[in-house]
Amino acid sequence: MSGFKTHLYSGVAAGAVTSAFFMFKYPLMFTPIQLSGVFFTGIIGGLLPDLDSDTSRPFSIFFTFLSMIIPVLFFKEIAAIWLYILPYLETFFIHLTNLFSSALIILNSKFDFIPNQFTLFPAKLGTFPTFEEITPEFIITYFVISYLMIKYALCELIKRITIHRGIMHSIPFAILCAETGFIIFIPSGKIMAVAVSFSILLGFFTHLILDESNSITFKHGFIPKFKKSSGTALKFTSQSKLITLIIYLLLTAGAIRIAEIMGFRL
């Protein structure tokens, strides 16, 4: 089996080849930052299959990276959702405080244990900030919770539901990762999204091909001998029918979404 450095270097090669290809194919269309993005996604693609190895360095590195980058990528969306639900939370807390206040008034009328000037809750909560006025406490809470959820909760979930050389070492999962890259980068333009998805796919396939090539040895220098791991990288299904079904459903959903983005009507 190829080691971490081999897969890292193959990912670097995949990212470099893809970024160079699109740089010459579409001159003056890609900025240095965009080319860097294409390059680094090739490296990510080259390390992605080893996420099913609980003790691998790619596993630890990738989830540390995810726990930092995902909250940044989705900050605007999460903040918008948070600000959208805040008025509903305000209404809920006002009703809740009124309920507690009523209960305390009833208890006080019978037991007279609350001072006359005592106020447990404010009559009305303060106004909530607009999107441009996101508070520091929201930012800190959001990033800390996101980091902990991804680094530990999601990481532990992946450990429990995956096995080494499982569905993550497969062709459909490679395509699914490429589709995900396309959808994430579509705000940067269709060509950029295509470049990223191709970079991820190339890096992923170099990993699978290297793993598959290492499952073959040669007896007496020329007679091929296949290891037990042969065929566990370049495959279309996993041992679990349920996981295979889920991956193909996600693959189909991603293909439909990309078709819609590209203007095709199904």
Side-chain angles (χ1 to χ4, degrees), residues 26-45:
Y26 301 97
L28 304 179
M29 186 171 289
F30 285 84
T31 66
I33 293 296
Q34 288 178 317
L35 291 173
S36 298
V38 175
F39 172 73
F40 286 119
T41 51
I43 298 175
I44 293 171

Side-chain angles (χ1 to χ4, degrees), residues 105-253:
I105 290 171
I106 294 172
L107 290 172
N108 188 49
S109 65
K110 289 186 175 296
F111 301 103
D112 194 24
F113 66 90
I114 303 176
N116 291 333
Q117 301 301 319
F118 178 79
T119 302
L120 183 61
F121 301 105
K124 181 176 175 58
L125 298 180
T127 57
F128 291 103
T130 62
F131 182 75
E132 291 77 15
E133 297 173 332
I134 295 294
T135 57
E137 56 268 26
F138 169 78
I139 296 174
I140 293 172
T141 303
Y142 167 74
F143 280 102
V144 169
I145 292 177
S146 298
Y147 177 86
L148 294 176
M149 289 294 292
I150 296 170
K151 186 71 169 67
Y152 297 102
L154 181 61
C155 181
E156 186 62 30
L157 177 64
I158 295 295
K159 286 181 180 180
R160 291 181 179 274
I161 65 175
T162 60
I163 58 173
H164 189 48
R165 289 296 185 99
I167 194 63
M168 289 186 175
H169 277 76
S170 70
I171 294 173
F173 190 76
I175 300 173
L176 178 61
C177 290
E179 288 181 345
T180 304
F182 181 95
I183 294 170
I184 290 175
F185 280 86
I186 194 62
S188 298
K190 293 180 179 179
I191 296 178
M192 177 63 182
V194 170
V196 166
S197 62
F198 185 80
S199 186
I200 292 173
L201 195 65
L202 183 60
F204 206 109
F205 268 101
T206 56
H207 185 119
L208 297 184
I209 292 170
L210 284 170
D211 278 352
E212 203 63 58
S213 64
N214 275 274
S215 66
I216 303 174
T217 59
F218 292 90
K219 191 175 182 180
H220 304 301
F222 63 94
I223 301 176
K225 182 181 179 181
F226 296 93
K227 299 179 183 178
K228 290 183 178 180
S229 60
S230 179
T232 59
L234 287 169
K235 59 182 183 294
F236 289 92
T237 60
S238 72
Q239 295 178 355
S240 171
K241 293 182 180 179
L242 177 60
I243 295 297
T244 300
L245 177 62
I246 291 173
I247 292 298
Y248 275 97
L249 288 175
L250 292 173
L251 198 62
T252 303

Side-chain angles (χ1 to χ4, degrees), residues 71 74-84 131 138 142 146:
F74 295 100
F75 177 74
K76 288 184 179 180
E77 289 76 9
I78 299 298
I81 293 171
W82 172 246
L83 291 175
Y84 177 78
F131 182 75
F138 169 78
Y142 167 74
S146 298

Side-chain angles (χ1 to χ4, degrees), residues 10-25:
S10 66
V12 168
V17 168
T18 306
S19 57
F21 172 80
F22 279 90
M23 180 178 66
F24 289 109
K25 178 71 174 178

